[in-house]
Amino acid sequence: MNGILNALVPVLLVIAAGHVVARMGLITGDQWRGIEKIAYFLLFPAIIISTVARTDFMAIPAFEMSAALVLSIFAMTALALALQPVLKRSFGIDGPRFSSVFQGATRWNTFVALAIADELLGADGVALLAVAVVAMIPLLNIINVLVLSRFASGEAPGAAKIALDLVRNPLIWSTAVGLAINLTGLPLPRFAWSTLEILGSAALPIGIVCVGAGLNLGSLRRPGPALTSATVLKLAVMPLFGFLFATLIGVHGPAFTAVMIAMSVPSAGNAYLLARQMGGDAPLMAEILTLQTLVAAVSMPLVLLIAV
């Protein structure tokens, strides 16, 4: 219990610090967007490349982890789609609102997951989460675009646009670069490793500060069926799926912990951008992201304590 709290509390405090800094107005909205881009396109790729390139993947159950994560995503997708007519009939949740519920139930905040894995598992945790990045991000992007194109009111991007967005995703290409270095044994000069380490050391604190800055407590209304459904599905049901599939497949040790971290974090901020782009309910998405981040402060310690 102490180990889990010691890993989670610093992350939550840094999130809170980011929120306080944003509310004080020390950094403006446009400046925050610039910091987020630096973290997303420069700092996080550096830590992923450095870690993946140096990791012995033969010692990591990458296939088993990927199978558990992918099966969990498919199970949540099936459950959420099965609930759609019930939510519409019982609570009047229309297509755009359901698309935000779906995103809230399936997506994951990679920044928070990497930070907690680093605190709880050390350098190996970041390498294990790189497996989750490769297994989850392309699949989740494709599934969520398809769901929004079906239920929201906007126009879905074509297959070429989706493929290009996936290729440009820094978490995907940085993992690919790290794997290429790892598999080929390409020798990098010492200054290259040092540069990656300097950039990577800034990734997690800056990324987590940005998560806190993005919280909008003023947007929270009285929790209704849509907001509650997305939060329960993501923070309670998704970890349950992860636990069941990881146990059935035989994932254990740090890899099991990494699966549970990936399954129990709140949804990702880019869900708001996609909702706005494709005609989903963006205000509801903002509420879901804020409420999930707050509830995760309680739910994640409980999930990890029970499961790990």
Side-chain angles (χ1 to χ4, degrees):
M1 180 63 177
N2 287 337
I4 292 172
L5 290 177
N6 287 336
L8 287 171
V9 170
V11 176
L12 297 174
L13 290 177
V14 174
I15 291 175
H19 181 70
V20 171
V21 169
R23 298 291 78 76
M24 292 176 65
L26 299 178
I27 300 176
T28 65
D30 289 341
Q31 291 170 333
W32 279 116
R33 302 297 81 77
I35 295 173
E36 289 172 357
K37 288 182 178 180
I38 290 174
Y40 190 60
F41 289 101
L42 178 64
L43 303 181
F44 270 88
I47 194 174
I48 290 177
I49 291 172
S50 177
T51 303
V52 172
R54 295 178 172 183
T55 299
D56 180 9
F57 280 95
M58 297 301 293
I60 295 178
F63 176 80
E64 291 85 350
M65 281 184 64
S66 298
L69 294 167
V70 168
L71 288 172
S72 298
I73 291 171
F74 282 140
M76 178 55 72
T77 297
L79 175 60
L81 291 176
L83 289 174
Q84 187 273 330
V86 177
L87 294 173
K88 181 178 181 179
R89 182 173 59 253
S90 301
F91 304 109
I93 296 176
D94 60 15
R97 288 180 68 78
F98 171 75
S99 69
S100 291
V101 172
F102 186 89
Q103 285 205 90
T106 55
R107 286 184 176 274
W108 67 309
N109 194 309
T110 314
F111 287 1
V112 174
L114 283 168
I116 292 175
D118 182 56
E119 289 286 341
L120 197 57
L121 301 173
D124 290 343
V126 178
L128 289 167
L129 259 293
V131 175
V133 167
V134 175
M136 295 173 67
I137 289 180
L139 178 62
L140 284 172
N141 275 276
I142 293 171
I143 289 175
N144 277 278
V145 165
L146 292 174
V147 168
L148 265 86
S149 67
R150 166 63 179 83
F151 292 100
S153 57
E155 181 179 351
K161 174 65 166 57
I162 297 173
L164 187 59
D165 287 343
L166 293 177
V167 171
R168 288 176 173 173
N169 188 300
L171 299 181
I172 295 176
W173 65 251
S174 59
T175 302
V177 170
L179 283 173
I181 297 172
N182 188 306
L183 295 175
T184 61
L186 179 67
L188 294 182
R190 176 59 192 169
F191 72 82
W193 291 117
S194 297
T195 302
L196 290 172
E197 289 170 1
I198 292 171
L199 292 171
S201 65
L204 298 181
I206 291 179
I208 298 305
V209 166
C210 290
V211 171
L215 295 181
N216 185 5
L217 301 182
S219 70
L220 286 178
R221 299 171 293 192
R222 184 176 181 180
L227 187 57
T228 302
S229 299
T231 301
V232 171
L233 288 173
K234 182 66 189 75
L235 300 182
V237 181
M238 185 66 101
L240 179 59
F241 283 148
F243 178 85
L244 291 175
F245 287 118
T247 300
L248 288 173
I249 293 171
V251 181
H252 54 81
F256 181 84
T257 303
V259 169
M260 295 309 301
I261 291 172
M263 292 289 95
S264 60
V265 292
S267 190
N270 57 4
Y272 175 82
L273 299 177
L274 188 62
R276 202 166 56 181
Q277 173 188 339
M278 293 189 60
D281 192 327
L284 173 61
M285 195 70 249
E287 294 181 19
I288 290 171
L289 294 172
T290 298
L291 182 61
Q292 285 188 358
T293 303
L294 296 175
V295 175
V298 176
S299 65
M300 285 195 69
L302 291 176
V303 167
L304 294 176
L305 177 63
I306 294 171
V308 179

